[in-house]
């Protein structure tokens, strides 16, 4: 088993995330100011429960409109280059699956948009 996970800390404008194995994570910034660049999840090699090594989580500030994307290894890693960040979450997932699926492996994409506190 491989796994990447994220948790939005309610009311704090923060997201905690970590990953082990080959599930890519990407946080697309809704507000593309220079100090709020898109971020990639640092995924540690291994398998959950077997060859885990040291797992380290990261905490990132998040703001309204930031979009979290997870993609399994059935998706080519170049998916991040052309994500239509203004699209609704389902459309982003559909576009990634349509244009970046390897076709030789199972593929899964999860997209979630942070709407902010409240």
């Amino acid at each position: 088993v491989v796994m990447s996970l994220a948790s939005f800390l309610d009311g704090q404008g923060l997201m905690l995330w970590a990953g082990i194995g080959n599930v890519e994570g990407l946080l697309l910034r809704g507000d593309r100011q220079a100090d709020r660049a898109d971020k990639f999840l640092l995924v540690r090699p291994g398998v959950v429960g077997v060859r885990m090594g040291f797992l380290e989580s990261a905490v990132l500030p998040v703001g309204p409109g930031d979009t979290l994307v997870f993609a399994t290894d059935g998706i080519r890693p170049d998916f991040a280059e052309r994500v239509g960040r203004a699209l609704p979450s389902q459309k982003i997932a559909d576009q990634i699956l349509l244009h970046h699926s390897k076709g030789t492996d199972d593929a899964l994409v999860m997209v979630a948009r942070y709407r902010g506190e409240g």
Side-chain angles (χ1 to χ4, degrees):
V1 172
V2 297
M3 179 178 10
S4 291
L5 56 99
S7 177
F8 292 94
L9 304 177
D10 191 31
Q12 297 181 40
L14 297 172
M15 181 187 75
L16 176 109
W17 67 351
I20 185 165
N22 52 6
V23 178
E24 298 289 329
L26 172 64
L27 182 64
L28 298 167
R29 299 300 188 170
D31 179 1
R32 298 183 71 184
Q33 297 175 4
D35 62 333
R36 294 189 34 94
D38 295 343
K39 299 288 183 183
F40 287 90
L41 173 62
L42 177 58
V43 181
R44 302 289 184 203
V47 175
V48 175
V50 180
R51 297 182 302 263
M52 285 188 51
F54 180 70
L55 184 61
E56 185 175 329
S57 62
V59 178
L60 299 173
V62 291
D66 286 357
T67 303
L68 173 65
V69 180
F70 283 132
T72 64
D73 63 342
I75 300 294
R76 291 189 312 275
D78 66 346
F79 78 89
E81 296 171 11
R82 297 181 52 188
V83 173
R85 65 181 72 227
L87 296 172
S89 299
Q90 184 63 55
K91 291 273 189 192
I92 293 172
D94 292 343
Q95 291 292 317
I96 292 171
L97 282 167
L98 179 66
H99 297 292
H100 300 280
S101 179
K102 292 178 182 177
T104 58
D105 197 355
D106 59 326
L108 177 70
V109 176
M110 191 279 314
V111 179
R113 182 153 297 135
Y114 182 73
R115 299 199 185 277
E117 294 94 41

